[in-house]
Structure formats: structure tokens, C-alpha cells
Amino acid sequence: AGVVFASLALQLAQFHGESLHMQFDTPALIWRATVTRYLTRPLPDGRRLVLILDGLDEAADWHAGPDLFPHGLPGPSRVLASARLLEPHSEARSWLVRLDLNRPGLAAAHDLPPLTRSGITDVLLGMQSPLDGLGDRAEIVATLHHLSQGDPLLIGLYVDALRGHGESAAWLRP
């Protein structure tokens, strides 16, 4: 919490043309309150704020709940948050309930389906050599799909692990 909210507070202060003089050992609650204050103020010069928070489900020492975002963000401000589903077989809307954003016109939830074999092929083909060659190998794509069940995070972890093998990754067998 201290890292996430300190980072957000410092970046938001810069967007507002301000600097913060708090210490990094400042309690997370203070950083979080500072973020809330900045989020309720429009940016200078009519600029638009788009805050992207990836991995809400990965918060280690804090809980993403109804107090995460202040109600009544300034008109041009938007928040994009991503998270894995709260429970197996649930829907993205469950996050709207958890964050108290489930009122009509306030927020939208989108379920992203897992990557298909074709999607995994595209990921591999978009990589630099030698990983791009793996996209043409149906047995490698099928194995990655089986191991990951199409979960983009797991596919990313596998690709990062493969990248660490350098040129020998081109010779990978399932």
C-alpha cells in the first residue's frame, strides 16, 4: 500500500504542478488520502486524467474496496482498472459491486476471455527472434495453451522464462 499510494500521490502531484514533501515512511493511510484529494481535483489547463491501475487483485497488504476511488471524479477524469475475477465462474461486474461502482452510468465492466491458440500464436509471432519462430510451431502453441488455459498473465510468465533461454528457445520441444 505504501508503495502503490506513494507512487500515485507523487505522480498526481506532478500532474498538478505541485511537489510533495512527505517521507517514504509516511503511513499508507496518509498517502491514500492524498491520492483521494488529488483525484477529486481537475487537472490544470483542462487536461484529462486517465489513471490506470493494473492488478487490483494482486494487492498484498491492502484491500481494493469502496473507498479506493472517490465518488464524483472531475468530468474529464477516468479510471481504468484491471483485475482477475474474485471467484472462479464470477463476472467482472463483481468488481463493480466490491468497489461500489455498480450504479447505472458510473462504471462499466468487461470480461476478457482467455487467449485462444490463435491469440497465443499472435503473442509469439510478435516477439523478437528467436521466440517469434515458436509461433509457427503448432505443438508449442498447443502446449502453452494447455499449460496456461489462455491466461494472459501465465502466458507472459512462460514467454519471459523462454526469453531467458536465448537462442536455445528456438529448439524448444513440448
Side-chain angles (χ1 to χ4, degrees):
V3 172
V4 170
F5 293 106
S7 176
L8 281 173
L10 291 168
Q11 290 178 45
L12 289 168
Q14 281 186 324
F15 295 153
H16 283 274
E18 301 171 8
S19 60
L20 292 176
H21 301 289
M22 294 190 280
Q23 301 296 319
F24 275 99
D25 61 350
T26 300
L29 190 60
I30 302 298
W31 286 114
R32 197 167 179 163
T34 303
V35 167
T36 297
R37 275 197 315 277
Y38 277 119
L39 287 176
T40 59
R41 293 172 42 199
L43 290 178
D45 303 325
R47 291 179 292 150
R48 171 177 271 184
L49 173 69
V50 178
L51 173 64
I52 301 172
L53 290 174
D54 184 25
L56 285 183
D57 59 303
E58 298 174 20
D61 64 345
W62 59 280
H63 177 79
D67 61 340
L68 182 58
F69 305 114
H71 293 278
L73 291 175
S77 297
R78 298 291 184 264
V79 174
L80 173 66
S82 71
R84 291 178 183 221
L85 298 177
L86 294 169
E87 299 172 6
H89 311 295
S90 64
E91 295 179 334
R93 285 191 304 262
S94 62
W95 273 101
L96 295 181
V97 172
R98 182 176 182 168
L99 299 172
D100 192 27
L101 299 173
N102 56 334
R103 292 179 298 287
L106 186 60
H110 301 280
D111 288 302
L112 298 178
L115 289 173
T116 61
R117 288 182 184 193
S118 174
I120 294 171
T121 297
D122 290 345
V123 168
L124 292 172
L125 291 175
M127 302 301 296
Q128 294 178 347
S129 180
L131 296 183
D132 59 348
L134 297 176
D136 292 325
R137 296 182 47 202
E139 75 279 7
I140 296 297
V141 172
T143 300
L144 283 172
H145 187 263
H146 172 73
L147 292 172
S148 68
Q149 297 297 304
D151 182 317
L153 177 63
L154 288 178
I155 292 166
L157 293 172
Y158 280 120
V159 168
D160 284 344
L162 291 171
R163 189 179 292 128
H165 290 282
E167 294 296 321
S168 66
W171 305 105
L172 180 71
R173 295 183 314 153

